[in-house]
């Protein structure tokens, strides 16, 4: 592992083990949960070419507060090796995140249909591209328009960027995973360069510092910076919050795990995603907190369970509880709240 | 010994939000919030090592049980607040002056507890004197918890008793080893700390309390209008009367019966007129009175506090315990058939049901509008005043005795007491405790003309008072004797306590009363 950081994360100092607690991933943070999905997806992607696969699974450590996920692997490895494997996997998956000149998720229906058909006909080789498109849009769910054939697609409810404040979703979905590491921290000789693996290790194994000047997707509840809740002007550089780049990289490649599907609501066909639901209060995303190690496929199965939001309904499946984050509007921007436990205040 | 942290909210209000995206107050304040307040005190006191060690000891304990009263959340309007310290970079810019600063919307969720003191109990915690001393010092300097407007008095103490005036609640959030360091790191980097971890603590096994046949989950009917516009005593037009003044508490039984009749008419409106369940109508299909517990309708009057005047602010439908009536689909449909969206001046857009009574001559004695709700907006409408566990209960509305009195003189008093004791048995309660009197052991029941509850009218008017100042009873109860009473049970029992032959129309309704026995904490 190439290291140039002046303050290396503690990852490499940890001994090799088959289980690793992910101290950076908080249970009530949507970005952290999507980063967990991205981690599993990236490790599985790297496993396809690795001589000794890691076969990653994840569970939540319910016995040692604070609640955090634990990564379970098929063989003992160090945290550094996990980060390197994940970095290779993210790089492989990020290659599919190419949208050309399109910056916002507003394809016309005909174009979306053509892209989806193209991905479906590409066979196994186009699976990554197909998964990504299937998580972003469906040609069945479009916005109201006089010409339905050319109506813009109704994007995934996890898309919070539509160009407001010069924030473009596809732009970021392409650039964030392709940016292997944040810019050097500090200036001159004191500057710290992080490798791609360091960047991911920071996000996974240590509390987040959110000091990277990189782009994000507004999935982190800490990005809800309302003027009246701060001591200073949130647009002032002194108060402007940074991001945790490694978490956003992982979350960007985790998004394709949340496949979109069209559903009928009233007279219209609207998009929904695994774990998502629309109610009178707006869109919300729920995820379970499970006890036993589960693969990405098993987690996706749990997210799609029809009783996911019924308090206590999934206890026989090893689910301790379920958390829900609501999508909220703050002025012209949108954010996700910290997730609350289903059935509690 | 139990380590107790006592937190008294000095203004009687706790300002604390569950999060920036919600209007819900955080009540009772959770242990992670209290811990943060203690950490702030530690830092303000100079970050002493012995006090840090005490906090690190405290964060390793299991979550405490929280002893807190109920109360009501305060309404949460939007306040527009000036942001702090705007820096414009221009000299002479008046927009930095407080009067000219921009305003940003913000809410301040708050909770008004019935009792401002909350106690956090760490049962069986073994604390050494030095640690306890350090915690006491930290608590003494903790001037607020949550928002800085939540002024508090805090103290740690060791408590050897198990008595708890209020319900013990499990903590929803907790701290954990490393929380102090996490808070320090967050503060150093200028980040808002995330809430504590979810707690999964459980309550010690609760003692099964005695309870009556009535449920403690009520459907509230809030009076949404008191309009004096109706002066002629007649509906404004056929079938659509105007809403009038809420009758006095002394006519509550008549109104309660009208509400029950309205519910039955709701069943008829949905085509179930011949299948009204006995637990609603009180009658079997053959029209004979049912022997099973059935629905009661009780008045909720402004009583029991200083300045109370006995005004009726609502009614409540009290289902039999375990009947599941409020979850029954037919009952819900019948209620929906009764309600409609309110008009301007009659509850706004809230669904309301209109209740009125028409006499044989067409006269309309009363017309009222009630809004069904499960969330009371007034403390008077909170069922907890009637359902909270207590040893002593006092009547708000007089008990209608089940039998006519035959004895006279001193024996009459005993007959009334025995009638009240029998009324307790009739609703599944234990008999009031026996106490020693100069006449030997007697039930702890004090019948009296006047109510012990402030604001409740007497059981009968003074001599010479007009007839219309008496309690108005349905014809089937009109000749029965009435009495107020105070009762004391040997152990706390769970309310509601509704006694006597008029219990289904709101007579004999009792509310918990302070236990004045010497040596028993109020």
């Amino acid at each position: 592992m190439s290291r140039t950081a002046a303050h290396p994360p503690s990852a490499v100092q940890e001994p090799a083990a088959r289980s690793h607690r992910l101290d950076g991933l908080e249970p009530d943070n949507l970005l952290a949960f999507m980063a967990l999905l991205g981690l599993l997806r990236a490790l599985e992607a790297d496993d396809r070419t690795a001589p000794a696969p890691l076969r990653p699974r994840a569970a939540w450590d319910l016995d040692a507060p604070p609640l955090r996920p634990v990564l379970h692997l098929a063989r003992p490895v160090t945290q550094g090796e996990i980060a390197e494997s994940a970095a290779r996997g993210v790089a492989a998956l990020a290659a599919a995140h190419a949208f050309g000149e399109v910056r916002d998720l507003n394809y016309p229906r005909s174009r979306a249909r053509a892209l989806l058909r193209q991905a479906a006909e590409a066979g196994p080789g186009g699976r990554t591209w197909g998964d990504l498109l299937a998580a972003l849009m469906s040609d069945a769910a479009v916005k109201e328009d006089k010409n339905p054939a050319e109506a813009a697609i109704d994007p995934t409810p996890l898309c919070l960027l539509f160009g407001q404040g010069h924030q473009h979703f596809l732009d970021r979905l392409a650039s964030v995973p392709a940016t292997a590491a944040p810019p050097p921290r500090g200036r001159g000789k004191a500057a710290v360069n992080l490798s791609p693996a360091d960047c991911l290790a920071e996000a996974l194994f240590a509390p987040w510092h959110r000091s990277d000047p990189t782009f994000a997707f507004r999935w982190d509840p800490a990005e809800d910076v309302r003027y009246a809740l701060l001591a200073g002007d949130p647009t002032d550089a002194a108060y402007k919050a940074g991001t945790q780049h490694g978490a956003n990289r992982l979350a960007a490649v985790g998004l394709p795990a949340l496949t979109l599907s069209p559903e009928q609501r009233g007279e219209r066909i609207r998009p929904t995603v695994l774990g998502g639901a629309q109610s009178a209060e707006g869109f919300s995303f729920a995820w379970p907190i499970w006890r036993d190690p589960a693969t990405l496929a098993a987690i996706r199965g749990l997210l799609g369970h029809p009783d996911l939001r019924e308090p206590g309904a999934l206890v026989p499946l090893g689910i301790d509880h379920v958390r829900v984050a609501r999508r909220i509007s703050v002025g012209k921007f949108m954010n996700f709240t910290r997730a609350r436990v289903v059935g509690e205040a | 010994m139990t380590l107790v942290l006592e937190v008294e909210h000095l203004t009687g209000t706790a300002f604390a939000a569950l999060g920036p995206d919600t209007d819900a107050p955080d009540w009772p304040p959770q242990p992670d919030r209290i811990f943060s307040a203690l950490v702030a005190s530690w830092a303000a006191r100079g970050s002493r090592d012995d006090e840090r060690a005490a906090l690190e000891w405290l964060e390793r304990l299991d979550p405490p049980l929280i002893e807190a009263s109920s109360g009501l959340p305060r309404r949460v309007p939007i306040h527009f607040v000036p942001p702090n310290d705007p820096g414009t970079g221009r000299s002479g810019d008046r927009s930095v002056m407080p009067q000219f600063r921009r305003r940003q919307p913000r809410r301040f969720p708050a909770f008004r507890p019935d009792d401002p003191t909350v106690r956090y109990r760490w049962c069986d915690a073994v604390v050494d004197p030095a640690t306890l001393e350090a915690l006491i010092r930290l608590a003494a300097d903790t001037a607020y918890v949550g928002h800085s407007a939540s002024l508090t008095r805090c103290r740690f103490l060791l408590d050897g008793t198990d008595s708890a005036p209020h319900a013990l609640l499990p903590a929803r959030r907790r701290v954990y080893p490393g929380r102090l360091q996490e808070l320090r790191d967050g503060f150093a980097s200028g980040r808002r700390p995330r809430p504590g971890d979810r707690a999964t603590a459980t309550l010690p096994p609760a003692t099964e309390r005695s309870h009556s046949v009535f449920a403690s989950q009520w459907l509230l009917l809030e009076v949404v209008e008191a309009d004096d516009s109706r002066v002629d005593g007649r509906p404004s037009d056929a079938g659509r009367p105007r809403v009038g003044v809420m009758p006095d508490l002394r006519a509550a039984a008549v109104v309660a019966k009208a509400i029950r009749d309205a519910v039955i008419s709701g069943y008829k409106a949905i085509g179930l007129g011949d299948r009204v369940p006995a637990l609603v109508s009180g009658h079997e299909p053959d029209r004979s009175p049912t022997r099973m517990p059935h629905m009661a309708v009780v008045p909720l009057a402004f009583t029991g506090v200083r300045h109370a005047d006995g005004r009726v602010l609502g009614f409540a439908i009290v289902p039999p315990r375990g009947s599941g009536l409020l979850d029954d689909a037919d009952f819900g449909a019948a209620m929906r058939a009764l309600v409609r969206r309110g008009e301007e001046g009659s509850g706004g857009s809230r669904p309301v049901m209109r209740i009125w009574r028409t006499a044989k001559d067409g006269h309309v004695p009363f017309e009222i509008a009630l809004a069904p709700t499960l969330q009371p907006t007034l403390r008077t409408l909170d069922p907890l005043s009637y359902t909270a566990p207590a040893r002593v209960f006092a009547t708000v509305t007089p008990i209608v005795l089940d039998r006519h009195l035959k004895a006279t003189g001193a024996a009459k008093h005993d007959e009334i007491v025995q009638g009240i004791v029998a009324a307790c048995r009739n609703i599944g309660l234990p008999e009031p405790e026996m106490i020693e009197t100069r006449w030997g052991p007697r039930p702890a029941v004090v019948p009296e003309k006047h109510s012990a509850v402030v604001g409740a009218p007497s059981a009968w008017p003074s001599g010479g008072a007009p007839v219309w100042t008496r309690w108005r009873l349905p014809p089937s109860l009109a000749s029965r004797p009435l009495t107020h009473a105070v009762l004391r049970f040997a152990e706390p029992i769970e309310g509601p306590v509704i006694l006597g032959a008029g219990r289904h129309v709101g007579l004999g309704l009792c509310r918990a009363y302070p236990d004045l026995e010497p040596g028993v904490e109020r």
Side-chain angles (χ1 to χ4, degrees):
Chain A
M1 178 174 164
S2 63
R3 301 192 53 77
T4 53
H7 304 286
S10 57
V12 291
Q13 293 153 13
E14 294 291 322
R18 292 179 61 178
S19 298
H20 293 271
R21 185 176 157 96
L22 305 175
D23 278 313
L25 304 187
E26 296 170 350
D28 52 3
N29 187 323
L30 175 62
L31 177 64
F33 180 72
M34 294 189 57
L36 178 61
L37 298 181
L39 172 66
L40 295 173
R41 197 160 173 262
L43 293 177
E44 286 184 357
D46 191 47
D47 269 0
R48 289 182 203 124
T49 56
L54 292 176
R55 295 196 181 91
R57 293 177 298 160
W60 292 86
D61 189 357
L62 289 155
D63 299 323
L67 181 62
R68 293 288 185 273
V70 176
L71 182 67
H72 296 268
L73 302 164
R75 59 185 173 84
V77 290
T78 63
Q79 291 181 351
E81 289 170 318
I82 293 170
E84 285 192 348
S85 174
R88 287 192 297 271
V90 171
L93 295 169
H97 289 230
F99 306 100
E101 296 298 313
V102 184
R103 305 181 77 191
D104 288 312
L105 194 44
N106 56 2
Y107 289 101
R109 173 183 244 166
S110 57
R111 175 71 180 141
R113 183 172 293 171
L115 285 171
L116 288 163
R117 180 174 292 145
Q118 188 184 343
E121 291 170 351
R127 175 63 192 261
T128 307
W129 172 236
D131 282 346
L132 177 58
L133 288 183
L136 295 178
M137 59 191 174
S138 161
D139 61 328
V142 295
K143 293 179 176 171
E144 282 188 271
D145 195 285
K146 290 177 183 173
N147 180 6
E150 292 303 313
I153 53 103
D154 207 351
T156 170
L158 296 169
C159 169
L160 308 185
L161 312 174
F162 301 96
Q164 69 276 48
H166 303 289
Q167 300 176 9
H168 304 280
F169 185 71
L170 291 187
D171 212 16
R172 293 192 174 189
L173 197 59
S175 67
V176 169
T179 306
R185 294 177 189 155
R187 292 178 181 173
K189 291 182 180 176
V192 178
N193 290 301
L194 261 65
S195 71
D198 289 338
C199 175
L200 297 183
E202 265 190 349
L204 293 173
F205 302 117
W208 292 357
H209 50 72
R210 296 181 177 91
S211 59
D212 296 326
T214 49
F215 292 129
F217 299 95
R218 307 192 76 87
W219 292 328
D220 186 352
E223 290 173 50
D224 173 16
V225 282
R226 265 174 267 182
Y227 212 141
L229 299 175
L230 297 176
D233 183 348
T235 59
D236 187 329
Y239 293 97
K240 193 172 175 63
T243 66
Q244 189 73 37
H245 183 63
N248 282 291
R249 276 194 90 202
L250 289 169
V253 299
L255 178 68
L258 302 174
T259 307
L260 179 145
S261 64
E263 68 170 4
Q264 183 154 8
R265 288 205 297 271
E267 299 293 313
R268 290 190 55 196
I269 305 293
R270 306 296 295 270
T272 188
V273 293
L274 287 176
Q278 195 81 29
S279 70
E281 292 185 331
F283 176 78
S284 60
F285 183 84
W287 62 91
I289 303 295
W290 61 94
R291 292 178 179 280
D292 298 318
T295 60
L296 178 61
I299 297 167
R300 294 179 74 221
L302 291 173
L303 286 170
H305 198 288
D307 292 336
L308 179 64
R309 294 173 189 240
E310 287 294 319
L314 301 191
V315 169
L317 297 180
I319 306 302
D320 185 75
H321 63 274
V322 175
R323 302 211 173 210
V324 177
R326 284 193 306 117
R327 190 177 66 182
I328 55 171
S329 292
V330 181
K332 63 182 179 182
F333 298 105
M334 287 193 283
N335 279 98
F336 275 93
T337 64
R338 278 205 178 273
R340 298 232 166 78
V341 177
V342 169
E344 291 183 3
Chain B
M1 296 290 275
T2 299
L3 176 65
V4 177
L5 171 58
E6 190 175 86
V7 178
E8 181 180 1
H9 290 84
L10 297 174
T11 62
T13 304
F15 290 87
L18 275 176
D21 55 298
T22 174
D23 296 341
D26 188 21
W27 181 263
Q30 293 299 300
D32 61 337
R33 189 183 296 275
I34 302 296
F35 187 80
S36 294
L38 292 172
V39 170
S41 296
W42 166 74
R45 287 172 52 82
S47 306
R48 295 168 53 163
D49 288 343
D50 57 335
E51 292 170 359
R52 189 198 67 219
L55 288 171
E56 287 171 345
W57 175 83
L58 191 66
E59 71 183 11
R60 287 195 296 271
L61 297 182
D62 286 337
L65 294 172
I66 307 174
E67 180 195 321
S69 69
S70 66
L72 287 173
R74 208 179 69 166
R75 292 187 184 88
V76 188
I78 295 178
H79 296 262
F80 289 88
V81 298
N84 293 331
D85 305 330
T88 64
R90 292 175 295 179
S91 62
D93 187 350
R94 70 174 194 170
S95 70
V96 300
M97 303 299 288
Q99 301 92 316
F100 300 105
R101 286 188 197 169
R102 288 188 295 159
R103 299 292 200 270
Q104 296 292 324
R106 188 172 173 188
R107 292 172 186 268
F108 296 90
F111 193 86
R112 294 171 298 171
D114 294 334
D115 182 344
T117 303
V118 187
R119 294 177 184 84
Y120 301 83
R121 294 179 170 272
W122 286 270
C123 300
D124 303 324
V126 181
V127 55
D128 62 75
T131 302
L132 180 60
E133 187 62 32
L135 290 174
I136 288 172
R137 287 197 301 270
L138 286 172
D141 276 357
T142 303
Y144 64 89
V145 170
H147 191 276
S148 56
S150 287
L151 300 177
T152 54
R153 172 192 62 80
C154 303
R155 67 164 179 154
F156 272 99
L157 65 152
L158 291 174
D159 186 7
T161 66
D162 293 330
S163 66
H166 302 297
L168 285 174
L169 307 166
R172 297 193 306 270
R173 299 194 307 273
R174 61 171 296 176
V175 295
Y176 38 79
R179 177 68 174 175
L180 172 61
Q181 189 59 42
E182 188 180 304
L183 292 174
R184 293 179 69 186
D185 292 344
F187 180 80
S189 59
R191 291 197 310 269
R192 179 186 291 269
R194 64 178 294 277
D197 214 34
R198 178 175 179 261
T200 52
T202 53
L203 286 173
T207 314
E208 182 70 19
R209 287 200 172 98
S210 302
H211 51 73
S212 74
V213 297
F214 294 109
S216 53
Q217 299 291 321
W218 297 3
L219 175 62
L220 307 172
L221 305 173
E222 183 178 352
V223 176
V224 294
E225 187 177 63
D227 179 7
D228 290 334
S229 61
R230 187 186 62 79
V231 293
D232 58 359
R234 292 179 184 278
S236 56
D237 53 47
R240 189 173 173 277
R242 288 184 302 190
V243 175
V245 179
M246 166 59 72
D248 185 85
L249 179 58
R250 280 164 286 204
V254 179
V255 181
K257 190 168 183 307
I259 293 172
R260 194 199 65 172
D261 292 347
V263 174
I264 292 172
S265 73
Y267 277 90
K268 292 175 181 168
I270 60 171
L272 297 177
D274 55 344
R275 281 183 284 160
V276 181
L279 63 88
V280 172
S281 67
H283 292 86
E284 299 293 351
D286 63 0
R287 294 183 179 276
S288 62
T290 182
R291 300 183 67 82
M292 303 299 292
H294 56 278
M295 180 184 90
V297 180
V298 298
L300 301 173
F302 179 34
T303 59
V305 293
R306 198 176 168 202
H307 307 305
D309 58 6
R311 271 179 302 145
V312 179
L313 299 176
F315 282 81
I317 291 178
V318 184
R321 188 176 288 265
S323 66
L325 178 66
L326 299 187
D327 299 323
D328 181 61
D330 290 344
F331 178 78
M335 291 299 293
R336 281 194 295 277
L338 292 176
V339 300
R340 63 181 179 187
R341 289 281 158 194
E343 298 140 15
E344 199 61 38
S346 59
S349 61
R350 295 176 66 181
V352 296
M353 55 189 284
R354 294 183 172 231
I355 305 293
W356 71 93
R357 183 63 94 190
T358 307
K360 287 178 182 172
D361 62 354
H363 176 78
V364 179
F366 65 86
E367 311 156 13
I368 54 174
L370 302 170
T373 178
L374 293 170
Q375 298 289 331
T377 54
L378 302 170
R379 189 170 293 193
T380 296
L381 301 181
D382 190 348
L384 267 178
S385 306
Y386 305 91
T387 59
R391 281 185 69 204
V392 182
F393 287 87
T395 53
V396 175
T397 54
I399 301 168
V400 180
L401 296 177
D402 288 304
R403 300 171 58 182
H404 290 284
L405 299 175
K406 296 182 175 60
T408 56
K412 183 178 175 182
H413 179 274
D414 286 344
E415 192 178 0
I416 293 173
V417 169
Q418 288 307 321
I420 295 172
V421 170
C424 291
R425 285 196 303 268
N426 288 345
I427 62 165
L429 291 179
E431 293 182 2
E433 72 171 330
M434 298 299 286
I435 52 173
E436 279 299 326
T437 69
R438 70 173 105 168
W439 303 284
R442 292 281 191 280
V445 176
V446 181
E448 176 56 64
K449 170 186 174 183
H450 304 293
S451 172
V453 178
V454 178
S458 303
W460 60 89
S462 308
V467 173
W468 51 264
T469 58
R470 294 177 183 168
W471 286 80
R472 298 289 300 276
L473 302 180
S476 60
L477 304 173
S479 61
R480 304 288 184 91
L482 301 176
T483 182
H484 278 295
V486 177
L487 307 85
R488 192 172 75 201
F489 297 89
E491 298 292 335
I493 64 164
E494 225 175 288
V497 175
I498 316 172
L499 300 171
R503 59 187 181 272
H504 297 111
V505 288
L507 294 170
L509 174 66
C510 303
R511 59 184 289 162
Y513 197 74
D515 193 341
L516 300 179
E517 188 182 28
V520 176
E521 192 179 354
R522 286 187 64 168

